[in-house]
Amino acid sequence: MHTVRAIHPRIEVVEPLPSPAALRAEIPLSLGAQDVVLGARRDIVQTLKGTDDRLVVVTGPCSVHDPVAALAYAERLSELSRDVSGELLIVMRVYVEKPRTRLGWKGLVSDPRLDGTHDLASGLRLARGLMAEIVGMGLPVACEFLDPAVPAYLSDLVSWAAIGARTVESQIHRQFTSGLDMPVGMKNGTAGGVEHAIDAIVAAAGGHVFPAVGDDGSAAIVATAGNPDCHVVLRGGANGPNYGPVDVARALDLLGSAGLPRSLFVDASHGNSGKDHERQPVVVGEIAERLALGERGIAGVMVESFLTAGRQDLVLGRTDDLTFGQSVTDACVDWGQTIRMIEDLAQSVTARRRLAEAPLLAG
Ligand SMILES: O=C[C@H](O)[C@H](O)COP(=O)(O)O
Ligand SMILES: C=C(OP(=O)(O)O)C(=O)O
């Protein structure tokens, strides 16, 4: 550890971090786990293209603060996902970085002990170990990539990623997304406009050259090939929800006019539920009804769900006071409600399939 204050008075400490290659060697991905990651990436792309008629469901806690609770959730979800695998492609939210509106705990990677000590090396190790364990259960993993240094440490474990509402306009995020190997959902901005997400899709589809952390941890110039698998995630915004049929049709038309596939995800939480977790089943119910009636533009749905309903305030350093399996960021639906929402969505896919087959049967 050495101080750099003489040159940069506002930087207090610079410490070394293990390189991405070193962390990968410490927590490798087994061949079986690699199949899970790659298989889900491929299947999600097929659902976006409409060649797989299942629905992607990205569900899990708003943020992971307790790996034990996250694993307990993952065990239940992996079992449930097997039951509905003919209709739904379930991916678990394992969100280890949190963007904050102002200030607050920024996730497991940033502060894994939840006490303000910011042991990032342990955070990355913990996040990688947790993701590896969940993928090892056969359950694919989703996260938001926030800090541009983090994907190099985790992205080989991730099947679906988001660029959040607060960073979708950032060139830096669009650049690193252009080098990611998984489908990436671009959230509409916090103000609600879908145009920034469409700009982000176009930008990330192109190749870029930019400075980054190399695999060995050294400063590097990275050139990317472009990511053709980005899509919009409608999450609502300051003016209210945008999951209704008119907003979805408008977003699909904008995508079509930009020469992009008419396919998107809907986030049932955030601006679409006014951050009221009890609204999420209502949003999911309405989407399920529309899917059952033949809606094809919605390829995926996101839900914020954990073991216990609601949310709790985190006081740094006071983890003993926390309720097990309850979110310390946005409020989530509980496990029982999650099962009902997933069953509802699975039934809607079955109904949509019957509808698609009906003319063939009649003929
Ligand atoms: O999804 C989580 C939150 O909505 C996002 O991180 C912003 O949180 P904040 O407004 O509580 O800071
Ligand atoms: C922060 C999140 O979403 P958004 O960027 O839509 O606010 C999230 O999904 O955790």
Side-chain angles (χ1 to χ4, degrees):
M1 190 192 303
H2 60 276
T3 67
V4 292
R5 288 187 109 156
I7 311 165
H8 305 293
R10 288 185 177 159
I11 294 182
E12 296 188 327
V13 177
V14 175
E15 282 183 58
L17 198 59
S19 69
L23 210 66
R24 270 207 313 278
E26 198 182 311
I27 307 170
L29 188 58
S30 69
L31 284 180
Q34 208 172 5
D35 282 349
V36 172
V37 175
L38 299 182
R41 287 181 184 173
R42 191 189 52 232
D43 290 354
I44 296 166
V45 170
Q46 295 308 323
T47 60
L48 283 161
K49 289 184 174 155
T51 45
D52 183 333
D53 73 348
R54 289 180 297 169
L55 180 78
V56 180
V57 178
V58 180
T59 180
C62 176
S63 52
V64 171
H65 68 274
D66 171 5
V68 176
L71 282 173
Y73 181 93
E75 270 166 23
R76 294 183 191 190
L77 190 63
S78 64
E79 200 180 319
L80 180 61
S81 77
R82 280 192 287 275
D83 294 344
V84 293
S85 62
E87 294 79 31
L88 306 180
L89 171 53
I90 294 192
V91 187
M92 178 168 160
R93 272 182 68 108
V94 186
Y95 273 45
V96 291
E97 297 187 271
K98 290 311 292 178
R100 304 311 303 238
T101 305
R102 287 190 174 170
L103 294 170
W105 180 71
K106 288 183 282 188
L108 199 73
V109 165
S110 167
D111 190 15
R113 288 195 286 276
L114 297 88
D115 60 1
T117 51
H118 296 283
D119 181 354
L120 267 125
S122 297
L124 284 166
R125 195 168 279 122
L126 204 57
R128 193 169 167 84
L130 175 66
M131 286 182 172
E133 215 167 322
I134 293 173
V135 172
M137 292 178 192
L139 190 61
V141 157
C143 72
E144 171 174 344
F145 283 125
L146 181 58
D147 190 295
V150 169
Y153 289 90
L154 302 179
S155 65
D156 58 318
L157 292 154
V158 174
S159 293
W160 184 87
I163 297 299
R166 290 161 189 77
T167 46
V168 73
E169 280 193 76
S170 150
Q171 178 158 295
I172 314 235
H173 289 74
R174 295 168 176 188
Q175 285 177 168
F176 75 65
T177 300
S178 74
L180 293 175
D181 290 320
M182 76 287 298
V184 174
M186 300 291 189
K187 293 283 194 96
N188 66 253
T190 52
V194 76
E195 288 79 0
H196 298 312
I198 293 177
D199 292 343
I201 293 171
V202 174
H208 295 269
V209 181
F210 53 94
V213 178
D215 220 30
D216 63 356
S218 61
I221 300 169
V222 173
T224 62
N227 184 341
D229 300 320
C230 300
H231 51 278
V232 164
V233 182
L234 293 177
R235 49 84 80 197
N239 294 328
N242 61 5
Y243 68 90
V246 173
D247 284 308
V248 169
R250 180 176 171 272
L252 293 172
D253 284 348
L254 283 172
L255 285 164
S257 318
L260 297 167
R262 294 171 56 93
S263 186
L264 52 74
F265 280 24
V266 171
D267 174 1
S269 189
H270 301 101
N272 274 332
S273 61
K275 286 208 178 191
D276 172 359
H277 62 289
E278 290 178 0
R279 287 283 312 160
Q280 289 194 68
V282 178
V283 177
V284 166
E286 285 181 33
I287 290 169
E289 271 176 33
R290 282 155 46 201
L291 293 173
L293 291 173
E295 164 70 64
R296 294 214 160 262
I298 299 174
V301 172
M302 176 182 281
V303 170
E304 287 194 304
S305 135
F306 209 180
L307 299 173
T308 304
R311 65 168 305 284
Q312 58 190 326
D313 285 331
L314 167 67
V315 179
L316 291 181
R318 298 276 297 274
T319 48
D320 286 351
D321 298 345
L322 293 176
T323 300
F324 184 74
Q326 189 177 48
S327 176
V328 298
T329 47
D330 286 350
C332 294
V333 295
D334 69 6
W335 180 248
Q337 186 61 260
T338 305
I339 298 177
R340 290 191 286 280
M341 290 158 86
I342 293 212
E343 284 174 348
D344 205 9
L345 289 169
Q347 280 162 15
S348 73
V349 170
T350 305
R352 183 172 67 176
R353 240 174 228 164
R354 283 208 194 100
L355 204 64
E357 284 160 7
L360 297 176
L361 293 176

